[in-house]
């Protein structure tokens, strides 16, 4: 079986060498130290996952992620950054990133995250016979990440689609935060919990015009998709 291809973008040569050397034991790694060149490479070649530094020459990681998401809503994106501010994490996740690891990071944790997201993507692509959902005025095709209504067609990110599908598989039932995080992120730490809040907020904005559907917050427990 061929190795999964990782686009790894990092301008620190020493860190890039050490990280790529470890990743190459598990994956095929294509390293690039320049943001603009990395995005051009993404447009020309096929990758299974992107690992992006944020502070890069010519085009930063946030800009790369924005452009990638315009072209591909499905490919997992992991940010690696020395920027520790909560606002930076939230910004990265709002752009459609799947995770955000702060430097110095554990190579073992990075490899585990990559494997989790690759496995999740593979399961999603293999499951071509997923059922479709109708709720309120919406029609949802999880395999295509497509949410339709009379007013709009929205292509969700893979994480948004997975979260919505999880709600629709359990309508009017409380889903605990820990369960959602473990199933979709593979961990339930504090910052991933904040990531979940971002995705919940995004789904609420998408369905806000539908009066018969809403996502309720159950304090200190989790969330519930109410379908009347």
């Amino acid at each position: 079986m061929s190795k999964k291809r990782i686009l790894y973008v990092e301008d620190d040569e020493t860190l890039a060498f050490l990280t790529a050397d470890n990743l190459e034991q598990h994956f095929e790694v294509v390293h690039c130290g320049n943001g603009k060149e990395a995005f051009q490479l993404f447009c020309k070649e096929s990758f299974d996952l992107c690992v992006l530094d944020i502070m890069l020459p010519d085009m930063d990681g946030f800009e790369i992620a924005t452009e990638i998401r315009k072209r591909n809503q499905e490919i997992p994106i992991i940010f690696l950054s020395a920027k520790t501010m909560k606002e930076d994490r939230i910004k990265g996740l709002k752009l459609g990133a799947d995770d955000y690891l702060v430097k110095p990071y554990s190579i073992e944790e990075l490899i585990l995250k990559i494997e989790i997201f690759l496995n999740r993507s593979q399961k999603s692509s293999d499951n071509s016979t997923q059922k479709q959902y109708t709720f309120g005025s919406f029609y949802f095709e999880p395999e295509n990440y497509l949410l339709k209504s009379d007013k709009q067609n929205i292509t969700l990110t893979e994480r948004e689609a997975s979260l919505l599908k999880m709600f629709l598989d359990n309508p009017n039932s409380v889903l605990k935060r820990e369960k959602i995080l473990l199933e979709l992120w593979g961990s339930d730490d504090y910052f991933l919990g904040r990531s979940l809040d971002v995705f919940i907020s995004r789904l609420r904005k998408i369905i806000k015009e539908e009066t018969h559907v809403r996502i309720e917050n159950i304090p200190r427990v989790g969330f519930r998709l109410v379908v009347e």
Side-chain angles (χ1 to χ4, degrees):
M1 181 181 295
S2 61
K3 291 183 177 180
K4 296 293 187 179
R5 296 191 86 219
I6 308 296
L7 176 60
Y8 172 44
V9 191
E10 171 61 68
D11 63 332
D12 183 317
E13 293 184 3
T14 301
L15 177 59
F17 174 80
L18 293 172
T19 300
D21 186 56
N22 280 276
L23 293 181
E24 284 170 352
Q25 298 178 40
H26 306 269
F27 318 104
E28 179 185 345
V29 179
V30 178
H31 169 252
C32 193
N34 178 286
K36 187 175 181 180
E37 292 176 2
F39 178 65
Q40 291 173 344
L41 192 62
F42 176 85
C43 293
K44 294 177 182 177
E45 301 184 17
S46 176
F47 297 95
D48 297 294
L49 182 143
C50 298
V51 178
L52 310 176
D53 184 27
I54 292 178
M55 303 300 292
L56 294 165
D58 297 333
M59 187 176 186
D60 69 30
F62 288 148
E63 293 173 308
I64 297 173
T66 299
E67 293 303 315
I68 286 175
R69 281 291 175 248
K70 289 178 182 178
R71 292 159 176 79
N72 189 322
Q73 290 286 333
E74 302 172 21
I75 188 169
I77 297 174
I78 299 176
F79 280 124
L80 305 177
S81 179
K83 298 166 75 71
T84 60
M85 296 292 290
K86 176 180 68 176
E87 291 77 10
D88 293 314
R89 288 176 178 259
I90 298 300
K91 180 178 180 180
L93 295 165
K94 283 184 174 180
L95 289 176
D98 294 85
D99 212 335
Y100 187 117
L101 298 184
V102 176
K103 299 177 181 178
Y105 49 84
S106 159
I107 287 293
E108 290 79 7
E109 181 181 8
L110 175 58
I111 292 172
L112 177 61
K113 296 285 188 182
I114 291 174
E115 289 176 341
I116 287 172
F117 296 135
L118 288 176
N119 289 336
R120 188 192 67 198
S121 295
Q122 184 62 47
K123 289 178 182 178
S124 177
S125 62
D126 288 345
N127 192 2
S128 58
T129 60
Q130 291 186 57
K131 65 179 181 179
Q132 299 171 341
Y133 302 82
T134 300
F135 63 105
S137 61
F138 287 104
Y139 175 75
F140 178 46
E141 300 177 6
E143 72 277 10
N144 296 321
Y145 310 108
L146 186 62
L147 183 63
K148 301 178 181 180
S149 72
D150 294 336
K151 298 181 180 179
Q152 57 186 336
N153 289 345
I154 303 171
T155 301
L156 304 176
T157 66
E158 183 178 1
R159 185 61 57 76
E160 289 169 343
S162 297
L163 180 57
L164 179 57
K165 182 178 183 301
M166 193 172 181
F167 277 127
L168 291 171
D169 284 336
N170 301 274
N172 301 307
S173 299
V174 176
L175 291 179
K176 293 185 177 181
R177 295 179 66 92
E178 294 83 359
K179 177 180 174 63
I180 298 173
L181 289 169
L182 287 172
E183 287 198 16
L184 301 189
W185 273 265
S187 175
D188 64 347
D189 69 24
Y190 171 78
F191 283 107
L192 289 181
R194 296 302 302 273
S195 303
L196 173 58
D197 292 336
V198 170
F199 282 94
I200 291 290
S201 177
R202 284 160 60 172
L203 285 181
R204 280 176 170 152
K205 288 180 181 179
I206 291 171
I207 66 173
K208 66 180 180 181
E209 295 183 4
E210 174 54 70
T211 57
H212 299 290
V213 181
R214 63 185 182 277
I215 299 175
E216 291 184 344
N217 179 46
I218 310 301
R220 296 182 296 279
V221 178
F223 303 94
R224 175 172 52 210
L225 177 69
V226 177
V227 181
E228 297 177 351

